[in-house]
Amino acid sequence: MAGLESLRGGVYRIINPLTEGLARRRVHPNFLTTAGFVVTMTSALAFHQHQVRAAGFLVLLGGFFDILDGRVARISDLGSKFGAFYASTLDRISEITVFIGILSLYNDYRLELGDVGMIYLIMLAMAGSLMISYTRARAEALGLDCKVGLMQRAERVVLIGLASLVFGESWNGLVLKGVIVLLAVMTNITAVQRIVWVYRQAGGVPLDE
């Protein structure tokens, strides 16, 4: 986790001139959120059309906008509670749509026996991803800042984006399949990690505290 935080810090330092420039020009974080949402939705269409490398690029680009909107909101006075809610909501919608786009790769005229199993794994990965977000949201509603776990949103975006962009459907899509299997397992493990963490922090604590 410390290594991942160091990596994030390095990325933030690299893009800092861009985020500061956007803040100076009063580019609203909600605009960046919307732009990233549109880009990510387009990636789902690219997956559906079996343009896997293009889809991977669009997933990463959408993730870049996701970084920008949060950073600009933090260093400007344009951030708001609605903006945070808006960004989180669109993140969930776009993530669901991306998984549906990936699912369509394995649910067309080329359907094979092995691909049927992939459909269930994709659904499991999507469910785990949503549970990661849900457990954090519920913890925050209780006053706990729950960011534990190995497979947070940034890691999911990078894994799907890079696997798709670099490898596409090479070797019968083996790399992307491997990423889906990894996500199906690790997202649900991460959700359990968060449940355990909240239990350790809040177990036996009365609701009025």
Side-chain angles (χ1 to χ4, degrees), residues 77-95:
D77 59 354
L78 298 174
S80 66
K81 288 186 177 181
F82 170 75
F85 169 81
Y86 181 65
S88 180
T89 300
L90 291 193
D91 284 348
R92 304 291 79 73
I93 296 172
S94 60
E95 191 161 25

Side-chain angles (χ1 to χ4, degrees), residues 6-191:
S6 298
L7 180 61
R8 287 192 182 96
V11 172
Y12 293 157
R13 285 191 293 272
I14 292 172
I15 68 170
N16 194 53
L18 176 58
T19 55
E20 289 182 347
L22 291 169
R24 283 195 303 270
R25 289 168 174 76
R26 310 296 290 175
V27 176
H28 204 286
N30 290 355
F31 171 79
L32 298 172
T33 299
T34 303
F37 174 73
V38 172
V39 169
T40 306
M41 295 291 281
T42 305
S43 75
L45 178 61
F47 275 122
H48 175 70
Q49 296 175 337
H50 288 263
Q51 298 174 358
V52 177
R53 292 182 189 274
F57 171 77
L58 292 168
V59 166
L60 293 174
L61 182 59
F64 181 65
F65 274 102
D66 194 32
I67 295 173
L68 287 180
D69 66 4
R71 298 297 292 175
V72 170
R74 286 180 179 87
I75 65 176
S76 70
D77 59 354
L78 298 174
S80 66
K81 288 186 177 181
F82 170 75
F85 169 81
Y86 181 65
S88 180
T89 300
L90 291 193
D91 284 348
R92 304 291 79 73
I93 296 172
S94 60
E95 191 161 25
I96 291 170
T97 306
V98 167
F99 277 117
I100 291 174
I102 297 173
L103 188 149
S104 70
L105 284 172
Y106 305 97
N107 189 33
D108 61 10
Y109 65 91
R110 305 185 309 172
L111 188 67
E112 298 176 359
L113 182 60
D115 292 340
V116 174
M118 287 303 302
I119 291 173
Y120 289 100
L121 287 170
I122 292 166
M123 294 174 65
L124 188 61
M126 180 170 65
S129 297
L130 293 177
M131 283 303 301
I132 289 173
S133 301
Y134 176 78
T135 49
R136 177 177 175 180
R138 287 297 300 143
E140 288 178 345
L142 297 172
L144 301 171
D145 189 16
C146 181
K147 296 182 179 179
V148 301
L150 297 174
M151 196 57 67
Q152 300 184 56
R153 175 169 165 76
E155 288 74 25
R156 302 195 299 271
V157 168
V158 170
L159 282 172
I160 292 174
L162 283 181
S164 302
L165 174 62
V166 176
F167 299 100
E169 292 188 90
S170 301
W171 307 305
N172 197 30
L174 180 62
V175 176
L176 182 57
K177 288 181 178 180
V179 166
I180 295 301
V181 172
L182 179 65
L183 290 176
V185 175
M186 293 305 300
T187 54
N188 288 281
I189 288 177
T190 299

